[in-house]
Structures are given as structure tokens and as C-alpha cells.
Amino acid sequence: MSAEQLLTHVNKLPTVPKVVHELMTSFQEEDVETARIAGLIETDPVISAKVLRMANSAYFHRSRSIGSISDAVMHLGFERVRNLVVGCGLVGSMQTPPGMDKPTFWRHAVYTAVASRELARLGSESGPSEEVEPELAFAAGIIYPVGELLMRWAQPMELFKLDGAEPHCTPARAEAERSQLGFDFASTSALLAEHWHFPDELTAGLRAAGDPDNADPFSALGAIVAVGSVLAAASVIRMEPPVNGYTLNRVGIRIDQVWSLPPINELSNGLENMLLES
């Protein structure tokens, strides 16, 4: 089976909510009106309620209560609210295959997103390398593992055999999948992003993130998400992260800067648990 043939199983994954799809296209818009975006989010009452709960949580350290989506967009920023909506939409709509631990899977996704955002910030501070917008890195990070869900619906036994070899949703895992199957979760996530008509920059970054140092052309977004996934996996399974210094150098980040980051679970501040709340 090829990666493209996996899309014949895409009916196993629910349709991405309309509000998520429309907000993803806004990455390509230069000027976005708060009222229009708030109105779009409010068309989905379930997502709206969850976004408001998270906006008022300790994660954002707010000193005042946020009472509406417009208020959330104004005080947290459109990019952050958009990413909350994307996270809520994906976690709420995606069914995890039998045998997969849903909280662990989405915890890794959120940790990857949070780590990727921090790495993008470091890269933007460090010099002349290609700059990656931190909130785009967050969005790519939370979408990065989704291809694994589709692969498990289509080829559960093949994926089960790899489970003891490498941590889920990291470049090492992607390499093992390419060796055994001919494709990996990152390229599958990119195919899904194309299927959902997500922005080209995000799709290219996802495709590159499975093997960032050999991607042609090189994608700074892909490299940042790949390193973010390693930090996330290390935090989930409590191990020393095998960070690739060469990959970091290509995006203008020193490895000592990575070691100086707070623990990823602290940076997450319970965001993954809030996303999993019904």
C-alpha cells in the first residue's frame, strides 16, 4: 500500500470541522478582522465553549475574565485563538484506533506543538536563518502526528510491530516506518493536510518533518517540528532527548539554548488535558 492509497481509508477519520478548515486558510491572509473571525468561531458552539474555558485557564495567566470569543481574540491574539480552535477541532473530531492510548497520543501532539513554538521563537531571535512564525509552528506541531491515526486504521498490525522500536511520531519513528512500509506518518499527515486544503507552507513543512535534513528543498518549519517532536517524546516517556544539533544549526538555534528551555510539560501547563475535556 502506498501513502496515497491510505486516503481511501480517510472515511475512518471524521471530517475536520468547517470552522477549523476556514481558520487554517487564514494563515495566508495578511489582514484578518477580529469580528469576522469571532463570528466564524461562534458558529460552532462546542468549540466556542471549550475555547472560552481554555482562554480563562492558568495556561494563559490571565488577570481578568474573558467572557466572549471576541474578547478572547482581542486579548490573546488571533493566532493563539486560531490554534486553540484547530486543537479543539482535531482532538474532538478524530477517533483513535483500537489499541491506541488517546490521552498519550494527544499529549505528544500538544507537547510537539508547544516545543515547536518555543523553538521557532529561539530561531527568530538567533540570526539570519529562515524565520518561522511561532504560531504556525504550533499549528504544524499539533497536526504532525495525525497521519499516524490514518495509518493505524489502514495497517494496524504493521504499525503494532514497530511500537517497541521507536517513540511515536518522531523522525526516528518516521525512518522506521519508511524502512518497513515505504512511507511515514509525517508524509501521511501532509497528504491529509492537502486533502483538507490547508496552506501550502504548512503542508510542505509537515512533509519535510519526517526527515528534515534530507528534505529538498529544506524546510525550516519541518526541521523545527521534527526537533519539537523529539523534545515532546522525551517529555512523555521521561528520557534524555536525542536532539540533532545539525538540524538545529540549520535553523539558527544552538543546542545550549534548547537545554535552557523549561520542561515541555511545564510549558504546556495542562493544555493537553483541557483539549481532551468533553
Side-chain angles (χ1 to χ4, degrees), residues 54-89:
M54 287 190 287
N56 284 290
S57 71
Y59 180 74
F60 290 108
H61 308 288
R62 298 299 305 168
S63 60
R64 61 179 296 276
S65 176
I66 292 176
S68 67
I69 295 297
S70 294
D71 205 15
V73 175
M74 182 177 301
H75 288 90
L76 300 182
F78 164 61
E79 292 82 4
R80 280 187 167 183
V81 173
R82 174 178 55 197
N83 281 336
L84 289 180
V85 172
V86 170
C88 291

Side-chain angles (χ1 to χ4, degrees), residues 111-112 115-116 119 144 170-171 209 212-213 220-234 241-249 251 253 258 261 264:
Y111 283 6
T112 299
S116 298
L119 291 169
Y144 181 55
T170 62
D213 294 326
L221 176 60
I224 280 173
V225 170
V227 176
S229 73
V230 173
L231 295 176
V243 174
N244 188 326
Y246 174 71
T247 306
L248 286 172
N249 288 337
V251 291
I253 302 173
V258 175
L261 288 173
I264 302 304

Side-chain angles (χ1 to χ4, degrees), residues 97 100 105 144-153 159 163 168-169 173 177 185 188-189:
M100 177 173 272
F105 177 83
Y144 181 55
V146 171
E148 187 80 11
L149 297 179
L150 182 59
M151 291 172 67
R152 282 185 177 272
W153 281 114
L159 272 293
D163 284 347
H168 290 301
C169 301
R173 173 63 179 230
E177 290 176 349
F185 72 89
T188 305
S189 294

Side-chain angles (χ1 to χ4, degrees), residues 259-270:
W259 300 144
S260 69
L261 288 173
I264 302 304
N265 62 315
E266 291 182 12
L267 289 170
S268 162
N269 201 12

